[in-house]
Amino acid sequence: GINAEYGGGQQRFSMASEIVRRRDSTPTEHAEAAPWLESVTVPSGGELLFLSGQVPPILSTETELEARETYGDMETQTRGVLLRVQEKLARAGFGMGDIVKLKAFLVAEEDGGRLDLDGFGRAYREFFGTQEQPNLHARSRVQVVRLMNPAWLVEIEAIAAKAPAASDEAALGFRSSL
């Protein structure tokens, strides 16, 4: 901990050394089963990675680049984007379980239609809250009119974090417990 004096009295403060993930506390029917968190706290000294928006991979080279068939439906595009996120995180030394914030920009498949949230959710749940990768993160889903390519239905950006290593804390003079 750290000792600090205020007005002649002494107080001890504990420096958090772990990433804290908080479930949604809103009393709604979906809050308990939600595949995302209300908030995440990253301790000082943690390593952050900001990943730019990732878009769907090309599935077919026999169609136009602006044709929906080139990228697939919402579920297929979401899965492809999350695989890209996973690959880029791995190249930077992070994993899907290190994501602390995820933002998805989603487009309805038909002009003026409803989003295919079921398709998005099926692909999303393959990567988060699973037995192999149980970590969840803070998440936002935003419906947009269109993305840069009119055939894209999803673009995802992420922030990943790693807590400071114990050796980093020792070098800074912090202890994880009082």
Side-chain angles (χ1 to χ4, degrees):
I2 296 177
N3 291 322
E5 285 201 35
Y6 292 98
Q10 197 173 44
Q11 239 179 329
R12 281 179 67 96
F13 295 91
S14 174
M15 296 301 293
S17 63
E18 295 181 6
I19 293 173
V20 179
R21 298 171 185 267
R22 294 175 199 82
R23 283 211 165 273
D24 193 344
S25 62
T26 308
T28 62
E29 68 280 355
H30 74 274
E32 192 60 35
W36 63 85
L37 300 173
E38 179 176 88
S39 65
V40 178
T41 301
V42 177
S44 176
E47 182 180 357
L48 295 175
L49 175 74
F50 294 83
L51 185 63
S52 294
Q54 301 299 305
V55 297
I58 294 172
L59 300 177
S60 171
T61 56
E62 299 185 15
T63 54
E64 302 273 331
L65 283 179
E66 293 189 356
R68 186 71 36 82
E69 302 78 36
T70 304
Y71 305 94
D73 61 10
M74 178 68 80
E75 183 174 354
T76 303
Q77 288 193 26
T78 301
R79 185 176 297 108
V81 170
L82 289 172
L83 285 169
R84 278 192 164 169
V85 167
Q86 185 174 45
E87 172 189 315
K88 296 194 186 274
L89 288 173
R91 276 194 269 163
F94 289 79
M96 295 298 268
D98 294 321
I99 294 175
V100 294
K101 173 68 175 164
L102 189 96
K103 186 180 289 184
F105 300 93
L106 307 173
V107 178
E109 290 199 43
E110 303 299 324
D111 289 337
R114 292 182 51 95
L115 288 175
D116 180 9
L117 292 177
D118 291 335
F120 175 83
R122 281 189 299 273
Y124 176 89
R125 288 177 190 267
E126 291 174 17
F127 294 84
F128 303 105
T130 66
Q131 194 168 28
E132 299 80 34
Q133 197 299 96
N135 285 351
L136 299 177
H137 46 263
R139 182 185 85 180
S140 298
R141 295 177 302 182
V142 180
Q143 182 172 359
V144 296
V145 173
R146 120 172 224 203
L147 295 166
M148 294 303 292
N149 180 322
W152 294 341
L153 299 173
V154 60
E155 180 173 342
I156 297 175
E157 58 186 41
I159 300 172
K162 291 186 178 186
S167 60
D168 293 341
E169 288 179 18
L172 295 172
F174 298 140
R175 292 183 316 197
S176 59
S177 62
L178 292 174

